[in-house]
């Protein structure tokens, strides 16, 4: 109800605010046809002969005459514009200026004015009507924006040609409505080529799709997978406003997929995105059946792009996410933290669908049991052979994946001279290709390239094309098409004794297969050690690996502990051809390494000069901040620093062909005497490339003296400079 309902309509008109409010009441709140507000821009024509106006004018103290010309604006529009004065009597011929209470519009004129200007612009009509036809809106606008009547000059009479109805600006109204419907802040995608590179399309009609949508929605909606757990959504403007769009975003969130960006595009662009994915899928080597396997592949491809050697999935019950780490250049860096549910599905799908036949221990992934398998996979057009090893932990589990070369047709063999060995060591390796019988044993920690070097030794075997070669691995890792490779799977419930018994049975069968030489992946127990000794002592060259921390430690394990080989076999000249111990060390980036004198303590540098006789002027240390040549954006330490400062790895190694004097010490278990015999064969200083009689530690010192590796790595991960024991050389000198 209006506040003016009790005010009489025929009250004498006076100048002031109250009269303006009264005019507003009469024009907008009075019932009947005259109270209807015409459409803006389409004005009724007021004729002088209009009887309601005459009747009303007769009742006024002063008569009001209205010209027959059409009026340019209604009273409501004048109120909104603030162009209002109180009612005054004017001479004939002037434009009448009165209140809305003095006006009665014929019903036929109101109906004529209410007709739309064009049937093609209903939206514009509604928009304008919404703006001006609401009484509350007009009241508010009038009370807040209208200036005082005393400040408004009287309007001059308008020319006849300007007293026509103002045209409606239909274009402006349409543009305004369009802007109101556009999603605020969403970028436009004009071409499929402008979309960032993506892995796959997530929304399909298949049951195993990450997001299941209808065929009709595919015309206006698409979600693409940028990387593991991250997506971009592209939709039409119309579909963006529907409830289905919000539902699909929630479905993606439930699938542990975060939407990084939402974009608006036409149906043609969305169809082009689906078409590009279809064309790419037609040329794919391995079909991607599910989102889970796609996530697994994404991580593998990322690791190969960083030239990583291992991938660690660290699942912990007490953490909300799974940390995925890559080993690059010998160090572990965090790649990403991923949702637990996504990781479980990815690992389960990969183990069940991708593993190579006869290499897996179990048909399904079981986090509560140790499992191993081999997975052939294509990543960045390279064939990989992935060694899977998982183990349960307190409060979770770990899955470690070793990335190996898997291309059997175009295989690559990394030869010893490419691994960082010196000339004196290469001479020993070359001589091992021309032996009859005996065993070559390599020791070292996990990931020290023992298998890589064993493979190279087999490849370099003299007259290889005329020989029958075998290899036994648990499981097989690298492609070795020049020989017959036997891979031994292991069940999750299998004990060590059962697994070793299978390996022993395979080796026994190979002894009747007319072998020329055999490579055994690892000596694990007494039975396998005995078979290796039997092969070696019967004229078959054998290569194998053994877990030990030094060359002397390997002899100690052969003669005692779990292996317990007869001492007369261990000390035989026909048994051990060569014994080695090796370690991979990160190589400094040549572009940003810093002089050791700038970062290392003076006491350490002085110790390197006095104790080892090294020239420290060429030594360098790692720059943790790195440079454009070595920084690896996307990989971080756990402290948050970007991986940087190193470029590749090099092999430090001690390699020795036992002498008769050395074996004499071994025969009586004189381990210290045997070590002294070996290390007393040294003929050069620690800054010399000749590795005769030198340990793995001393080989690393030589590499540090050339500025290839960081000397701090030796002091921190191998043994401190002050604790290391130096032996005299062949001439009795401690430092040459």
């Amino acid at each position: 109800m209006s506040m003016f309902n009790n005010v009489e309509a025929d009250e004498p008109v006076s100048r002031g605010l109250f009269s303006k409010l009264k005019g507003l009441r009469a024009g907008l709140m009075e019932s009947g046809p005259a109270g209807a507000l015409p459409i803006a821009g389409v004005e009724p024509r007021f004729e002088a002969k209009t009887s309601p106006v005459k009747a009303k004018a007769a009742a006024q103290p002063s008569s009001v005459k209205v010209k027959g010309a059409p009026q340019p604006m209604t009273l409501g529009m004048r109120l909104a514009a603030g162009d209002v004065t109180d009612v005054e009597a004017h001479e004939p011929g002037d434009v009448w200026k009165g209140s809305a209470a003095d006006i009665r519009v014929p019903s036929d004129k109101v109906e004529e004015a209410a007709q739309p200007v064009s049937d093609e612009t209903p939206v514009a009509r509604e928009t304008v009507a919404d703006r001006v036809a609401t009484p509350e809106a007009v009241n508010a606008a009038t009370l807040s924006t209208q200036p005082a009547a005393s400040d408004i000059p009287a309007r001059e009479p308008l020319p006849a040609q300007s007293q026509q109805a103002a045209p409606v600006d239909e274009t402006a109204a349409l543009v305004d409505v369009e802007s109101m419907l556009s999603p605020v802040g969403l970028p436009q995608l004009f071409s499929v080529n402008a979309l960032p590179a993506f892995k796959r399309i997530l929304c399909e009609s298949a049951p195993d799709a990450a997001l299941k949508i209808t065929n009709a929605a595919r015309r206006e909606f698409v979600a693409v997978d940028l990387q593991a757990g991250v997506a971009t959504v592209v939709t039409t403007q119309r579909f963006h406003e529907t409830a289905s769009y919000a539902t699909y975003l929630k479905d993606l969130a439930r699938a542990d997929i975060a939407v990084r960006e939402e974009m608006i595009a036409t149906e043609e662009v969305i169809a082009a995105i689906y078409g590009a994915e279809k064309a790419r899928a037609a040329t794919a080597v391995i079909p991607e059946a599910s989102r889970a396997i796609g996530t697994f592949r994404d991580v593998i491809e990322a690791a190969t792009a960083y030239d990583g050697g291992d991938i660690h999935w660290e699942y912990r019950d007490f953490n909300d996410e799974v940390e995925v780490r890559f080993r690059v250049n010998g160090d572990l860096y965090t790649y990403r933290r991923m949702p637990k549910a996504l990781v479980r599905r990815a690992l389960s799908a990969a183990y069940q669908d991708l593993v190579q036949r006869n290499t897996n221990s179990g048909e399904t992934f079981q986090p509560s049991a140790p499992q191993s398998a081999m997975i052939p996979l294509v990543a960045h057009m390279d064939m990989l052979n992935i060694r899977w090893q998982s183990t349960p932990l307190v409060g979770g589990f770990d899955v470690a994946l070793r990335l190996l070369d898997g291309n059997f047709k175009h295989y690559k063999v990394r030869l010893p001279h490419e691994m960082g060995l010196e000339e004196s060591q290469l001479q020993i390796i070359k001589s091992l290709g021309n032996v009859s019988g005996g065993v070559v044993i390599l020791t070292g920690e996990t990931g020290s390239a023992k298998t890589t070097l064993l493979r190279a030794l087999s490849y370099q075997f003299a007259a290889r094309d005329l020989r029958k070669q075998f290899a036994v691995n648990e499981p097989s890792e690298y492609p070795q098409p020049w020989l017959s490779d036997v891979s031994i799977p292991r069940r999750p419930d299998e004990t060590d004794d059962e697994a070793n018994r299978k390996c022993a049975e395979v080796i026994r069968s190979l002894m009747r297969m007319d072998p020329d030489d055999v490579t055994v992946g690892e000596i694990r127990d007494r039975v396998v050690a005995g078979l290796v000794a039997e092969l070696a002592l019967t004229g078959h060259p054998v290569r194998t690996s053994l877990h030990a921390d030094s060359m002397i430690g390997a002899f100690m394990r052969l003669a005692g502990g779990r292996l317990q080989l007869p001492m007369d076999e261990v000390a035989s000249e026909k048994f051990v051809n060569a014994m080695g111990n090796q370690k991979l060390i990160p190589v400094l980036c040549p572009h940003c390494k810093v002089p050791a004198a700038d970062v290392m303590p003076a006491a350490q540098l002085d110790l390197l000069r006095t104790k080892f006789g090294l020239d420290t002027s060429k030594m360098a240390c790692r720059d943790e901040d790195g440079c454009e040549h070595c920084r690896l954006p996307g990989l971080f330490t756990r402290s948050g620093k970007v991986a940087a400062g190193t470029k590749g790895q090099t092999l430090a190694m001690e390699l020795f062909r036992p002498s008769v004097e050395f074996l004499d010490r071994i025969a009586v278990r004189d381990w210290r005497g045997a070590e002294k015999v070996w290390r007393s064969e040294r003929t050069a200083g620690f800054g010399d490339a000749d590795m005769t009689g030198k340990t793995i530690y001393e080989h690393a010192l030589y590499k540090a003296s050339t500025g290839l590796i960081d000397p701090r790595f030796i002091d921190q991960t191998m043994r401190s400079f002050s604790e290391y024991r130096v032996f005299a050389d062949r001439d009795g000198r401690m430092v040459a």
Side-chain angles (χ1 to χ4, degrees):
M1 179 176 291
S2 172
M3 64 180 290
F4 304 106
N5 283 348
N6 297 326
V7 180
E8 295 298 330
D10 57 353
E11 181 179 346
V13 178
S14 61
R15 189 180 299 272
L17 176 62
F18 193 80
S19 65
K20 301 189 192 75
L21 297 177
K22 176 183 175 183
L24 175 63
R25 172 255 182 185
L28 298 180
M29 305 304 296
E30 190 167 300
S31 60
L37 184 65
I39 300 299
V42 182
E43 302 298 324
R45 290 175 171 80
F46 299 100
E47 303 292 342
K49 62 181 179 180
T50 304
S51 58
V53 175
K54 285 184 177 181
K56 189 68 178 176
Q60 299 295 331
S62 300
S63 61
V64 178
K65 297 180 180 181
V66 182
K67 294 180 64 176
Q71 302 302 308
M73 297 181 66
T74 66
L75 179 60
M77 294 298 292
R78 292 195 178 190
L79 289 173
D83 191 9
V84 180
T85 60
D86 284 353
V87 177
E88 296 288 346
H90 295 280
E91 294 296 329
D94 291 344
V95 177
W96 174 81
K97 301 174 184 177
S99 68
D102 300 324
I103 300 175
R104 293 296 182 269
V105 183
S107 60
D108 58 337
K109 298 298 181 180
V110 173
E111 293 176 359
E112 177 186 350
Q115 294 299 322
V117 176
S118 172
D119 293 336
E120 299 177 356
T121 59
V123 176
R125 183 176 70 253
E126 294 174 3
T127 303
V128 177
D130 290 341
R131 291 179 179 177
V132 301
T134 305
E136 292 80 5
V138 176
N139 288 337
T142 304
L143 292 172
S144 61
T145 63
Q146 180 174 316
S150 59
D151 298 333
I152 303 176
R155 293 179 60 88
E156 297 295 332
L158 297 176
Q161 63 268 23
S162 65
Q163 298 176 4
Q164 302 296 326
V168 177
D169 190 354
E170 303 176 23
T171 305
L174 288 174
V175 171
D176 181 72
V177 173
E178 184 71 18
S179 64
M180 292 171 62
L181 296 177
S182 300
V184 179
L186 296 186
Q188 295 279 342
L189 180 65
F190 298 101
S191 170
V192 65
N193 297 326
L195 186 67
F198 61 92
K199 300 291 184 181
R200 67 192 58 81
I201 288 179
L202 299 173
C203 47
E204 299 289 347
S205 57
D208 59 348
L211 176 63
K212 189 175 181 180
I213 67 174
T214 63
N215 291 329
R218 283 168 58 89
R219 294 195 296 268
E220 300 187 76
F221 179 88
V222 63
V224 298
D225 190 17
L226 298 179
Q227 57 191 20
V230 179
T232 288
V233 169
V234 183
T235 182
T236 62
Q237 179 175 301
R238 189 202 68 81
F239 193 81
H240 183 273
E241 304 297 329
T242 64
S244 298
Y245 179 80
T247 301
Y248 289 160
L249 293 186
K250 292 179 180 179
D251 291 343
L252 288 172
R254 281 193 289 267
D256 302 307
I257 301 172
V259 177
R260 171 179 291 179
E261 189 173 25
E262 302 173 53
M263 307 181 78
I264 298 297
T266 63
E267 292 187 13
E268 290 75 13
V269 173
I270 293 176
I273 296 174
Y274 281 106
E277 172 66 10
K278 184 177 180 180
R280 184 171 60 179
T283 59
V285 178
I286 298 179
E288 297 172 354
S290 68
R291 162 68 186 167
I293 292 180
T295 299
F296 182 83
R297 286 176 53 85
D298 289 348
V299 175
I300 300 299
E301 290 180 355
T304 56
Y306 285 115
D307 198 21
D310 297 87
I311 302 173
H312 292 263
W313 307 72
E314 301 180 355
Y315 188 104
R316 301 293 182 269
D317 296 335
F318 47 82
N319 289 334
D320 295 332
E321 295 178 309
V322 178
E323 186 177 12
V324 182
R325 307 172 75 192
F326 296 165
R327 186 176 295 277
V328 180
N329 297 334
D331 295 323
L332 271 178
Y333 300 103
T334 298
Y335 167 63
R336 186 157 293 133
R337 288 177 171 83
M338 302 173 62
K340 285 184 173 180
L342 185 63
V343 170
R344 287 289 294 265
R345 290 196 297 269
L347 294 177
S348 298
Y351 193 88
Q352 182 171 347
D353 298 339
L354 300 181
V355 297
Q356 187 177 2
R357 185 180 178 183
N358 296 329
T359 65
N360 55 317
S361 50
E363 297 299 327
T364 60
F365 174 50
Q366 302 175 26
S368 60
Q371 289 182 292
S372 60
M374 298 302 296
I375 299 178
L377 197 68
V378 174
H380 296 296
M381 304 306 294
D382 291 331
M383 197 64 189
L384 297 179
N385 206 19
I386 303 172
R387 187 183 72 187
W388 172 301
Q389 184 61 57
S390 60
T391 184
L393 303 173
V394 176
F397 62 86
D398 267 9
V399 176
L401 306 178
R402 173 68 56 83
L403 306 184
L404 307 167
D405 179 22
N407 195 327
F408 280 82
K409 187 174 182 180
H410 303 288
Y411 57 88
K412 301 176 183 178
V413 179
R414 193 173 186 184
L415 298 178
H417 70 273
E418 300 173 323
M419 302 173 69
L421 299 184
E422 312 304 330
E423 184 60 31
S424 58
Q425 296 168 322
L426 294 175
Q427 291 296 330
I428 296 176
I429 288 177
K430 183 178 179 180
S431 67
L432 296 176
N434 300 279
V435 296
S436 177
V439 61
V440 176
I441 301 176
L442 300 180
T443 67
E445 60 194 19
T446 302
S448 58
K450 298 187 299 296
T451 304
T452 303
L453 187 54
L454 288 176
R455 180 171 178 250
L457 293 177
S458 173
Y459 184 79
Q460 289 186 321
F461 189 69
R464 174 169 52 83
D465 294 340
L466 304 176
R467 301 290 185 265
K468 179 64 177 180
Q469 296 178 288
F470 286 94
V472 180
N473 293 285
E474 185 188 345
S476 180
E477 298 181 352
Y478 287 100
Q480 302 180 89
W482 61 87
L483 53 74
S484 300
D485 197 356
V486 181
S487 182
I488 303 176
R490 185 165 183 171
R491 301 189 309 271
D493 58 344
E494 196 171 51
T495 64
D496 289 341
D497 292 339
E498 292 173 338
N500 293 331
R501 185 161 51 250
K502 286 196 305 183
C503 183
E505 291 173 357
V506 171
I507 296 175
R508 288 192 182 98
S509 66
L510 293 183
M511 296 174 68
R512 298 187 294 270
M513 295 291 293
D514 187 29
D516 287 306
D517 75 282
V518 179
T519 299
V520 178
E522 183 180 350
I523 296 177
R524 299 184 179 222
D525 70 341
R526 181 178 180 181
V527 176
V528 175
L531 291 173
V532 167
E534 185 174 349
L535 279 168
L537 293 172
T538 55
H540 301 90
V542 182
R543 288 167 294 276
T544 188
S545 67
L546 182 67
H547 282 292
D549 62 350
S550 66
M551 185 196 65
I552 297 298
F555 276 99
M556 295 173 64
R557 285 206 64 195
L558 290 173
R562 294 179 57 189
L563 304 183
Q564 296 180 349
L565 289 179
M567 183 54 71
D568 55 347
E569 292 183 0
V570 174
S572 171
E573 295 182 42
K574 299 293 184 180
F575 182 47
V576 177
N577 286 326
M579 185 74 74
N581 184 47
Q582 59 193 69
K583 183 180 183 67
L584 284 174
I585 302 176
V587 175
L588 295 174
C589 174
H591 301 280
C592 63
K593 61 183 180 180
V594 296
D598 295 345
V599 294
M600 289 185 65
Q604 278 193 323
L605 294 173
D606 184 65
L607 192 61
L608 289 170
R609 287 190 292 265
T610 57
K611 183 174 182 177
F612 301 102
L614 298 176
D615 180 8
T616 60
S617 62
K618 296 182 180 179
M619 287 188 177
C621 294
R622 178 178 183 174
D623 183 359
E624 299 293 343
D625 295 328
C627 64
E628 60 180 359
H629 300 92
C630 63
R631 285 174 63 88
L632 300 174
L635 294 184
F636 302 91
T637 65
R638 282 183 167 172
S639 60
K641 297 190 65 174
V642 176
T646 58
K647 291 283 288 186
Q649 293 175 280
T650 186
L651 192 64
M653 188 177 190
E654 57 190 30
L655 185 62
F656 178 59
R657 296 202 70 176
S659 62
V660 175
E661 185 180 1
F662 176 87
L663 294 174
D664 288 342
R665 299 291 188 274
I666 294 294
V668 296
R669 300 180 183 270
D670 182 7
W671 311 117
R672 295 184 183 277
E675 182 180 10
K676 184 177 181 180
V677 170
W678 160 48
R679 296 181 62 179
S680 296
E681 293 184 6
R682 179 170 63 88
T683 59
F686 299 123
D688 193 279
D690 187 354
M691 292 297 115
T692 303
K694 292 181 181 178
T695 66
I696 182 176
Y697 191 95
E698 292 160 359
H699 190 192
L701 285 176
Y702 166 71
K703 289 179 179 290
S705 68
T706 62
L708 187 65
I709 67 173
D710 193 332
R712 297 176 299 180
F713 179 89
I714 305 172
D715 184 73
Q716 296 169 2
T717 65
M718 299 179 71
R719 185 173 295 179
S720 66
F721 299 140
S722 59
E723 294 178 357
Y724 183 77
R725 182 182 178 188
V726 177
F727 279 68
D729 63 6
R730 181 177 299 179
D731 298 327
R733 295 174 298 180
M734 297 296 292
V735 178

